[in-house]
């Protein structure tokens, strides 16, 4: 099916009290095919579900008798100040959910004081988004014609972007069965502004028993991306460079050796390898392995300010949020995205204060406990990092290994 136009959204943003409320409001206005495209994962969606289940297994040991009369959510990402340690993740084709697309989401990110990441598959050119004046990062897929990828990187730098984010976990698009069953294709009005000259492509042509978007990306994306291309891109740009899609500590360490400024611990929101490790479980080992040689960001499954707190306590410098801003955009346009980011800021301030932290730096020194049968080497209620050596009894996990 070629999806029909979504309703422009109509929820009153101030009635949405949690990101789950925003998700429900978005689901109420999105066509079924678009809703599945945004919400779905790959395969049997085990990793999609596991991302949230893993967050729910993390518990924080709050500290008491600390002055939290003033709690500050400010932090630094890639050496620049941000209002909170959150960036809006790259999400493709945002005009699918609202006519204003990436422009509305970027305006909301600017108002919230956090970076907005423009996707290679954005429906708005990077120049128009950067011209809004906020902090803008650019996400790059390595294309079959490598010169085109480097051209896009240069274009982003010339537009005023502050960082480049190379996605490294998509040699091809994961098998997303919701899109296959729907025979999902883009409507004519939704175009990839940075590819195909912004014109029609295979993504617009319904393919029997297939996702047209997957067919298109299979034609465009290179499956030959390797460390040599990372070195080439590092030499090509002066911008801070992030690698998104890292789940193994060995890869994170090597990224730092190649001069990468930050790794994004991510399983692509459960949309690539099904049964890939939940990102929050991979985070502590990676943060410890890099030892501050680069920043470590966490992506996949963040749904609250408390989740941000947990990521900080487990070693992250900050987090990326992907689906929630898109839900906000669908539910109420720019106001909806502002609501999503405002909720995260309010919830993070609340979580900081109630855990005895006056600053984000304090949160990185919190200890955590993993509950449940899958909670690391100690079994149910274990303290320590899942998959790694537990610390001395009662110590839990000391965070702060992800850098400032």
């Amino acid at each position: 099916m070629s999806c029909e136009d979504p309703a422009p959204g109509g929820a009153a943003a101030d009635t949405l009290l949690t990101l789950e409320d925003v998700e429900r409001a978005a689901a109420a206005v999105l066509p079924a095919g678009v809703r599945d495209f945004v919400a779905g994962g790959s395969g049997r969606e085990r990793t999609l579900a596991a991302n949230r289940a893993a967050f729910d297994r993390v518990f924080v040991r709050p500290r008491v008798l600390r002055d939290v009369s003033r709690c500050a959510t400010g932090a630094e990402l890639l050496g620049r100040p941000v209002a909170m340690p959150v960036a809006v993740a790259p999400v493709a084709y945002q005009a699918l959910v609202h006519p204003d697309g990436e422009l509305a989401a970027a305006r909301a990110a600017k108002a919230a004081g956090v970076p907005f990441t423009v996707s290679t598959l954005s429906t708005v050119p990077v120049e128009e988004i950067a011209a809004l004046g906020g902090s803008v990062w650019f996400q790059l897929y390595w294309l079959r014609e490598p010169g085109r990828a480097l051209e896009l990187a240069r274009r982003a730098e010339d537009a005023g972007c502050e960082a480049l984010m190379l996605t490294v976990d998509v040699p091809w698009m994961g098998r997303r069965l919701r899109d296959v069953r729907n025979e999902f294709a883009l409507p004519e009005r939704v175009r990839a502004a940075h590819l195909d000259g912004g014109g029609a492509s295979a993504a617009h042509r319904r393919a029997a028993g297939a996702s047209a978007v997957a067919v298109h990306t299979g034609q465009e994306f290179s499956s030959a991306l390797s460390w040599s291309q990372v070195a080439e891109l590092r030499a090509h740009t002066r911008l801070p460079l992030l690698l998104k899609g890292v789940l193994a500590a060995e890869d994170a360490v090597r990224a730092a050796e190649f001069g990468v400024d930050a790794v994004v611990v991510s399983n692509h929101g459960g949309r690539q390898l099904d049964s890939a490790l939940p990102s929050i479980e991979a985070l502590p080992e990676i943060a410890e392995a890099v030892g501050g040689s680069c920043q470590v960001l966490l992506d996949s499954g963040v749904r609250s300010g408390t989740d941000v707190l947990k990521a900080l306590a487990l070693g992250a410098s900050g987090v990326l949020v992907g689906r929630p801003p898109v839900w906000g955009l669908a539910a109420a346009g720019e106001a909806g995205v502002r609501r999503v980011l405002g909720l995260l800021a309010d919830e993070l301030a609340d979580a900081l204060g109630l855990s005895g932290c006056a600053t984000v730096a304090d949160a990185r020194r919190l200890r955590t406990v993993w509950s449940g049968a899958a909670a690391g080497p100690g079994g149910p209620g274990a303290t320590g990092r899942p998959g790694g050596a537990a610390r001395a009894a009662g110590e839990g996990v000391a965070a702060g290994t992800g850098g400032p």
Side-chain angles (χ1 to χ4, degrees):
M1 58 173 276
S2 177
C3 62
E4 64 270 33
D5 285 351
D14 59 2
T15 67
L16 306 173
L17 302 182
T18 66
L19 297 196
E20 289 79 8
D21 289 346
V22 182
E23 182 180 13
R24 284 189 289 270
V29 299
L30 288 176
V34 177
R35 185 170 64 246
D36 281 346
F37 177 74
V38 174
S42 61
R44 297 180 181 179
E45 300 189 344
R46 287 173 174 167
T47 295
L48 177 67
N51 280 331
R52 281 307 315 154
F55 263 108
D56 289 342
R57 289 199 302 272
V58 180
F59 289 82
V60 173
R61 294 183 185 273
R63 301 300 304 274
V64 296
L65 298 175
R66 293 180 168 188
D67 183 357
V68 290
S69 56
R70 295 181 180 178
C71 288
T73 61
E76 282 192 0
L77 294 180
L78 301 177
R80 292 179 178 267
V82 290
M84 58 178 166
V86 172
V88 176
V91 177
Y93 301 122
Q94 294 187 32
L96 270 173
V97 306
H98 192 278
D100 293 340
E102 289 85 356
L103 287 174
R107 286 193 295 264
K110 177 185 177 183
V114 300
F116 177 83
T117 311
V118 181
S119 171
T120 292
L121 298 174
S122 171
T123 57
V124 177
V126 62
E127 293 85 357
E128 293 184 29
I129 297 170
L132 297 174
S135 176
V136 176
W137 299 351
F138 185 81
Q139 175 269 335
L140 182 67
Y141 285 115
W142 200 258
L143 303 176
R144 284 183 178 269
E145 299 176 35
R148 292 178 63 205
L150 294 176
E151 287 171 8
L152 272 179
R154 178 65 64 193
R155 182 174 167 184
E157 187 168 348
D158 290 345
C161 290
E162 297 177 356
L164 283 177
M165 180 185 293
L166 178 65
T167 294
V168 296
D169 61 350
V170 187
W172 52 80
M173 186 177 287
R175 193 162 180 258
R176 301 172 191 174
L177 296 181
R178 297 197 206 190
D179 297 342
V180 172
R181 292 186 179 108
N182 292 332
E183 296 183 351
F184 183 77
L186 297 179
E188 285 298 315
R189 64 176 183 82
V190 176
R191 306 291 178 93
H194 303 120
L195 302 179
D196 308 313
S201 69
H204 298 88
R205 295 189 289 272
R206 178 181 172 181
S211 159
V213 172
V215 170
H216 178 238
T217 56
Q219 295 172 354
E220 293 286 346
F221 295 178
S222 172
S223 58
L225 176 63
S226 69
W227 289 105
S228 62
Q229 283 78 43
V230 174
E232 185 177 12
L233 183 59
R234 176 67 288 173
H236 183 76
T237 182
R238 296 168 297 176
L239 294 177
L241 179 61
L242 305 92
L243 296 192
K244 179 177 180 285
V246 176
L247 289 173
E250 299 90 337
D251 290 336
V253 169
R254 194 166 188 194
E257 292 171 349
F258 271 74
V260 168
D261 298 278
V263 294
V264 182
V265 181
S266 172
N267 55 41
H268 217 95
R271 291 162 76 83
Q272 284 302 105
L273 173 65
D274 197 25
S275 291
L277 183 70
S279 297
I280 192 70
E281 291 191 2
L283 171 64
E285 183 183 2
I286 289 175
E288 184 172 35
V290 301
S293 57
C294 68
Q295 286 200 323
V296 178
L297 306 182
L298 185 282
D299 169 80
S300 303
V302 175
R303 298 294 181 266
S304 71
T306 305
D307 290 343
V308 180
L309 181 79
K310 293 176 182 180
L312 295 171
L314 288 169
S317 304
V319 306
L320 272 63
V321 288
R323 288 182 178 93
V326 176
W327 298 336
L329 184 64
E334 180 182 339
V337 186
R338 288 189 182 224
R339 183 61 172 173
V340 164
L341 298 175
L343 284 170
L344 284 173
D346 291 345
E347 290 171 353
L348 175 58
D350 184 65
L352 285 172
L354 294 180
S355 62
C357 299
T359 68
V360 165
D362 292 340
R364 297 194 179 105
R365 292 187 284 270
L366 288 171
R367 293 178 293 165
T368 59
V369 174
W370 291 80
S371 73
T383 58
R385 293 180 166 124
R391 291 178 178 266
E395 283 193 0
V397 176
T401 55

